[in-house]
Amino acid sequence: MLWQSDFGSNICSKIGSKIWEGERAVEQTERVTIITVHGVADQQPGQTVRELARLLCHGGSDAARYVEGEKHEIILPVRKLGSVEESPTIAGDTKSEASPEQVMRVRPGRPSNFYLAHRRAVHERGAPVEEDLGVTLIDYLLSRYQPDQRDALYESTRITLRRQSDGLPVDLYEMYWADYSRLRPGGIRALSASYQLLFHLSTLARDVVDQVALATLGGRALRVLQWLHAWSAWLVKGPAALLQLMMLLLVAFGAAALVPEDQQPFVLELGGGVIALILLAFTPVVWLRADGPAAQMRTAAPWLLAGVAFAGVAIASAQRPESAIDIYFYTAVTLTVAAGAWLLRRYAETVRGIRLVGIALLLSLAILLVTIAAQTRPDMSTSYEWMLTTALNAGEYLLAGLLIAWALLAIVQIAALLLGFVLASRGEPAVAASLTTARIGMVVSSALFAILSLVLWSVIAYVAGLTLEDFLFMPVLFTPAYLSAAIFFESQVTDVGTLFTPLMGLIGVIGAIVLVALAPSLREETAPGADEQSASWTTRLGRWWTGARRVLGYVFGGFVPLLAIMGAVVYLLFVERKFFGVENALDWLGENGDLLVTVGQWLAGGAVTITALGARFTETFGKLRVALDAALDIDNYFQDPANRLPPRARIYSRYASLLADIGKRGYSRVVVVAHSQGTVITADLLHYLVVTRRLQDYVGATPLSLVTVGSPLRDLYAALFPFLYRWMGTQPTSFATLPDPADLHLAQWVNAYRAGDYVGRSIWTAPGEPAMLRVARVADDGNVEAWREGGRTEFCLGAGAHTHYFSNDAIALAVAIDGLVGNSQHHAVQTH
């Protein structure tokens, strides 16, 4: 059972309700609302609020605490949460951020748009005396946001309960945000999102270095590090990704050669005619939808010309059957380039700075195909032989370009890692922590991208090898021997496999360390035991994760980057031997590439099996995507996509609209219950509204309390992005430390956690405090035994990991929430 609860409460009419006590009808004018905000998990809309309602009704009580539940579906209009610069109530320059056209002009080595916008604002208005960089980032993302029409309404769930002890009506609302962050159904979307996530990790690394430069005013060495990280991010999502896209287009082009030669005229006539009819039919539609003659000509002309061209293909193939081979070949080239243009356009909508290099590579692919075709045509007797030879020769050039791109990436990342280590050793703790985050993002992005790419091409090479086993092929760049195409594919995969084998070995070692560190917590996730409240098991589990987390910090902060430097050097030696045939230190690896070929065979067979299973695999695949969903939730929180739809700005606008509507309903108290990533969204939004003096515009004078569980605010966000979360303070040395609930205008802030939660545990309790792993109990007077001081309350719910916060053993959590609902100012007993 997943517990998820975040910051958000929805529209509800203020209704005076009559509650029966015994035989008397008592007028009840006071109402309380609870806003639930889910976290990182696989929940569906409405699930979080139902789980919380279940806990409140039955959590640890013989008699139900809350009764008479009713469920309602509600619809809420959503208005954009404007940035400070856009707000008419706050003085400031109203100059907007750069236009979409300006934003798209991203050059290699260029810092993030947030960095450039901030520097431009400082140049125009002067540097602020004290700046909250996190608030400035939110302002920037809100100024970028141009709402989509789908963002105009929010459909949510409201559950109405009655508190058994005093008849108090309580409305529970859900703030659901996963639709702005999660994957939609479909395996293709999952694959594309996986690659997008890997690309953005390197972009996030660049952004973190930019944040360090903004917070510390930088220096020459830091500016060089910014430049290196920017180049690294651009090389990964630009040339490295786009060259692979061109190679995949070549696979599609080569597949067109499998059409029998005697069937090609028929395919041209039928296919050309059908496509021409479709294009010509859509031409008037496109014409009518455009505004003005100029726009009509600009949008309708490509459709008209394409339709005429395909009609010409159909007519030419019918009238000149002797030229059908040539017409078929160049039609396949045209369709390949057109498909590439469409994919490039879609890619450029979310990834900046790749449009020009993508166009250049696509034009190069077209020129390469046409040039090689002209050179090889006299020696080819069949269309099959001609098209495949052209595709394979062009693939060699693309492979050479890809190897060179990765070599440049290796050089840049070696320099970035070494310089990052030096600057981290000389800087303050916040600088060192931020640069560690940047190193991890850059290394993980490149390593996983390389592995996914190698595995993908091992599958393609295996399938292509089966198809082209008898096709003779003479390479022009690699392996200067007369080989079959199947042997050529296998030799290339085997050659690259000499790097893949040790890479997989190292990743296996790192994976084993991570698995051992997480094993006790993962056991709690999959099969929570009956001893969740056991003090001894809670202590052992908590101490294990405390030590394991320290070890993982050393592994990913220091060991993995050093391995990355060694791997980059090995790759450069491989490129030297590949292009120049020079014997070097790489020879000790021997011939170990067969592993990659085997991986391709197994994965190809697995893909056939999955296809055969069809719909039966859907449910299983959905479960496998949970980890990807979780990673996307965190990654998207920092994204600034080119389509001007930052997920954070969309989530905040929905959240603020929900708060504003609740603020108008006259509730006596608002209690927010948030889990995991939902705690970050809630705390960040409250902090932003308080700093910009707009919180009262949404909730008025209504008392606001916050309950967070499994919160990564301290252990993840404040640790990895310290310059964005200065308001969280440093690691606590005493309980009365930052964050102060009063700074967020909170009457009470309750934080609960489980001992083995690998995402987040305590916020104020120091890691070495004995009370950190003390299981909270409910005293005889009905209060929670917990550490409480200055509006802060924190306690451990016992053993467990990051989910199951709404399970039946969470008695203390149910009591704490009930105390806030009932406005009990002494709902927790202070213990040390």
Side-chain angles (χ1 to χ4, degrees):
M1 183 183 306
L2 299 180
W3 181 86
Q4 304 154 348
S5 154
D6 261 350
F7 182 106
S9 171
N10 231 323
I11 56 175
C12 176
S13 47
K14 183 179 179 182
I15 303 174
S17 54
K18 295 185 177 180
I19 307 297
W20 286 94
E21 290 186 355
E23 297 180 354
R24 294 186 306 165
V26 179
E27 183 90 19
Q28 180 66 274
T29 59
E30 186 179 22
R31 281 184 90 83
V32 176
T33 186
I34 298 177
I35 302 171
T36 64
V37 191
H38 68 82
V40 176
D42 192 29
Q43 71 292 310
Q44 299 298 315
Q47 179 180 339
T48 303
V49 70
R50 290 194 299 270
E51 291 293 327
L52 181 58
R54 184 203 56 77
L55 178 64
L56 291 177
C57 287
H58 302 291
S61 178
D62 295 334
R65 297 177 184 273
Y66 291 79
V67 295
E68 297 183 4
E70 295 181 359
K71 178 183 174 184
H72 305 274
E73 300 299 323
I74 61 174
I75 298 178
L76 172 69
V78 176
R79 297 183 60 186
K80 174 186 174 182
L81 174 63
S83 64
V84 173
E85 293 181 350
E86 297 170 337
S87 174
T89 61
I90 298 179
D93 189 355
T94 59
K95 182 177 180 179
S96 62
E97 204 262 332
S99 67
E101 292 76 14
Q102 293 172 321
V103 167
M104 292 303 298
R105 295 171 187 165
V106 180
R107 299 182 302 275
R110 182 179 184 265
S112 63
N113 277 278
F114 170 59
Y115 177 85
L116 297 175
H118 186 279
R119 292 294 300 268
R120 182 169 57 248
V122 169
H123 176 74
E124 294 173 355
R125 310 170 204 170
V129 178
E130 291 186 6
E131 181 183 25
D132 189 322
L133 196 60
V135 171
T136 306
L137 175 60
I138 295 174
D139 246 346
Y140 166 77
L141 294 175
L142 290 173
S143 69
R144 289 267 303 137
Y145 178 37
Q146 290 184 349
D148 186 86
Q149 63 179 1
R150 295 170 296 180
D151 300 347
L153 290 177
Y154 170 48
E155 299 179 10
S156 184
T157 301
R158 180 186 68 204
I159 295 179
T160 301
L161 301 175
R162 176 168 62 86
R163 195 167 184 248
Q164 181 76 345
S165 60
D166 56 9
L168 178 67
V170 179
D171 291 335
L172 283 73
Y173 293 89
E174 181 180 63
M175 168 57 204
Y176 189 79
W177 50 268
D179 53 327
Y180 288 152
S181 181
R182 299 286 169 78
L183 290 174
R184 296 180 180 178
I188 298 299
R189 286 192 176 95
L191 181 62
S192 62
S194 302
Y195 273 91
Q196 180 181 339
L197 175 64
L198 298 181
F199 298 153
H200 189 256
L201 284 176
S202 60
T203 304
L204 180 61
R206 177 205 65 185
D207 294 347
V208 171
V209 177
D210 288 346
Q211 293 161 15
V212 175
L214 291 174
T216 62
L217 301 181
R220 182 174 299 177
L222 191 54
R223 286 195 292 271
V224 172
L225 185 62
Q226 284 182 268
W227 182 79
L228 290 172
H229 271 274
W231 264 99
S232 173
W234 183 82
L235 286 170
V236 169
K237 65 187 180 183
L242 292 171
L243 280 166
Q244 290 209 49
L245 174 61
M246 300 302 119
M247 295 173 72
L248 290 173
L249 291 173
L250 274 183
V251 173
F253 173 79
L258 301 179
V259 176
E261 190 170 318
D262 58 345
Q263 297 295 322
Q264 290 178 4
F266 173 75
V267 171
L268 289 174
E269 294 171 21
L270 179 62
V274 171
I275 295 176
L277 286 175
I278 294 174
L279 293 173
L280 293 174
F282 270 91
T283 299
V285 176
V286 175
W287 175 280
L288 293 174
R289 289 178 63 88
D291 295 329
Q296 288 175 331
M297 288 294 296
R298 185 171 61 252
T299 56
W303 290 78
L304 178 61
L305 293 175
V308 172
F310 276 101
V313 167
I315 295 172
S317 61
Q319 293 183 348
R320 302 185 61 183
E322 70 279 4
S323 302
I325 293 179
D326 294 320
I327 297 174
Y328 183 82
F329 181 93
Y330 289 106
T331 300
V333 172
T334 303
L335 289 176
T336 300
V337 174
W342 181 80
L343 292 173
L344 177 62
R345 180 175 176 272
R346 294 294 302 272
Y347 185 43
E349 289 177 355
T350 55
V351 179
R352 296 177 181 170
I354 54 87
R355 179 168 293 175
L356 292 179
V357 67
I359 293 173
L361 289 175
L362 195 58
L363 291 176
S364 299
L365 175 61
I367 295 172
L368 197 60
L369 288 173
V370 172
T371 303
I372 295 175
Q375 293 174 350
T376 58
R377 182 68 176 96
D379 302 325
M380 303 299 162
S381 57
T382 65
S383 171
Y384 174 76
E385 186 180 4
W386 184 28
M387 292 186 69
L388 285 180
T389 301
T390 301
L392 290 170
N393 285 149
E396 288 187 81
Y397 288 100
L398 292 181
L399 177 59
L402 184 61
L403 293 176
I404 293 173
W406 276 98
L408 293 175
L409 179 65
I411 295 171
V412 169
Q413 291 197 352
I414 289 174
L417 289 171
L418 293 176
L419 182 57
F421 275 121
V422 173
L423 292 178
S425 65
R426 297 177 179 176
E428 59 176 297
V431 172
S434 297
L435 295 183
T436 298
T437 303
R439 286 198 300 271
I440 294 173
M442 182 175 66
V443 170
V444 171
S445 173
S446 302
L448 293 182
F449 181 34
I451 292 172
L452 279 178
S453 300
L454 290 174
V455 170
L456 172 65
W457 283 104
S458 71
V459 175
I460 294 175
Y462 174 69
V463 175
L466 293 177
T467 307
L468 307 176
E469 190 170 357
D470 298 327
F471 182 79
L472 299 180
F473 169 64
M474 176 64 75
V476 295
L477 290 181
F478 304 115
T479 316
Y482 196 77
L483 302 170
S484 73
I487 299 175
F488 170 76
F489 271 113
E490 184 174 344
S491 65
Q492 299 306 311
V493 174
T494 303
D495 196 13
V496 178
T498 58
L499 298 177
F500 179 80
T501 302
L503 177 62
M504 288 303 297
L506 291 173
I507 290 177
V509 172
I510 296 171
I513 295 174
V514 174
L515 183 61
V516 170
L518 291 174
S521 295
L522 294 178
R523 181 264 180 189
E524 291 293 317
E525 296 281 34
T526 56
D531 55 352
E532 298 296 308
Q533 297 293 306
S534 169
S536 60
W537 169 234
T538 298
T539 302
R540 293 196 304 272
L541 178 61
R543 288 176 177 173
W544 172 270
W545 174 240
T546 298
R549 185 172 181 269
R550 188 179 301 112
V551 171
L552 291 179
Y554 294 140
V555 169
F556 285 95
F559 182 63
V560 170
L562 289 176
L563 287 180
I565 294 175
M566 295 172 56
V569 172
V570 170
Y571 176 77
L572 292 176
L573 294 175
F574 165 78
V575 171
E576 180 190 34
R577 192 179 69 173
K578 183 75 173 176
F579 280 100
F580 305 107
V582 178
E583 295 185 1
N584 53 42
L586 190 64
D587 294 334
W588 69 270
L589 289 174
E591 296 296 332
N592 299 310
D594 292 340
L595 174 62
L596 189 56
V597 178
T598 304
V599 169
Q601 294 174 353
W602 279 97
L603 289 179
V608 173
T609 303
I610 291 171
T611 303
L613 290 174
R616 297 180 182 179
F617 184 70
T618 302
E619 182 179 353
T620 304
F621 182 71
K623 294 178 180 178
L624 295 176
R625 296 196 323 176
V626 173
L628 179 58
D629 283 334
L632 285 172
D633 284 340
I634 299 172
D635 173 70
N636 284 330
Y637 195 61
F638 293 97
Q639 280 230 33
D640 175 25
N643 61 5
R644 298 183 72 91
L645 290 172
R648 192 190 303 208
R650 304 175 79 184
I651 293 169
Y652 284 3
S653 295
R654 175 183 291 180
Y655 207 153
S657 298
L658 184 61
L659 285 177
D661 198 86
I662 285 176
K664 299 175 183 176
R665 302 300 171 178
Y667 286 102
S668 303
R669 289 177 297 283
V670 175
V671 179
V672 181
V673 182
H675 173 242
S676 186
Q677 181 70 8
T679 69
V680 179
I681 294 171
T682 299
D684 271 342
L685 178 59
L686 289 177
H687 176 66
Y688 176 76
L689 293 176
V690 168
V691 171
T692 57
R693 300 191 179 98
R694 285 189 284 175
L695 182 60
Q696 290 187 347
D697 296 341
Y698 293 94
V699 298
T702 306
L704 183 64
S705 298
L706 175 62
V707 179
T708 55
V709 293
S711 175
L713 275 167
R714 172 69 68 196
D715 293 344
L716 180 61
Y717 283 84
L720 298 181
F721 310 98
F723 289 112
L724 298 181
Y725 289 88
R726 285 189 182 274
W727 60 273
M728 281 290 299
T730 58
Q731 280 290 337
T733 55
S734 65
F735 194 75
T737 186
L738 293 177
D740 189 342
D743 291 341
L744 300 184
H745 287 196
L746 295 172
Q748 294 284 332
W749 185 346
V750 178
N751 182 60
Y753 54 90
R754 293 194 179 274
D757 195 328
Y758 45 85
V759 173
R761 296 191 296 188
S762 65
I763 292 178
W764 301 287
T765 307
E769 283 286 345
M772 181 178 176
L773 300 177
R774 184 178 300 152
V775 181
R777 307 289 183 186
V778 179
D780 294 337
D781 59 359
N783 294 320
V784 179
E785 296 177 350
W787 196 325
R788 183 175 186 273
E789 183 176 344
R792 307 170 181 84
T793 302
E794 190 162 63
F795 52 86
C796 177
L797 286 171
H802 190 56
T803 58
H804 305 291
Y805 273 100
F806 277 4
S807 59
N808 290 335
D809 70 308
I811 303 172
L813 179 62
V815 171
I817 296 173
D818 181 66
L820 295 175
V821 170
N823 197 27
S824 173
Q825 297 299 319
H826 302 286
H827 66 280
V829 178
Q830 179 173 329
T831 61
H832 297 278

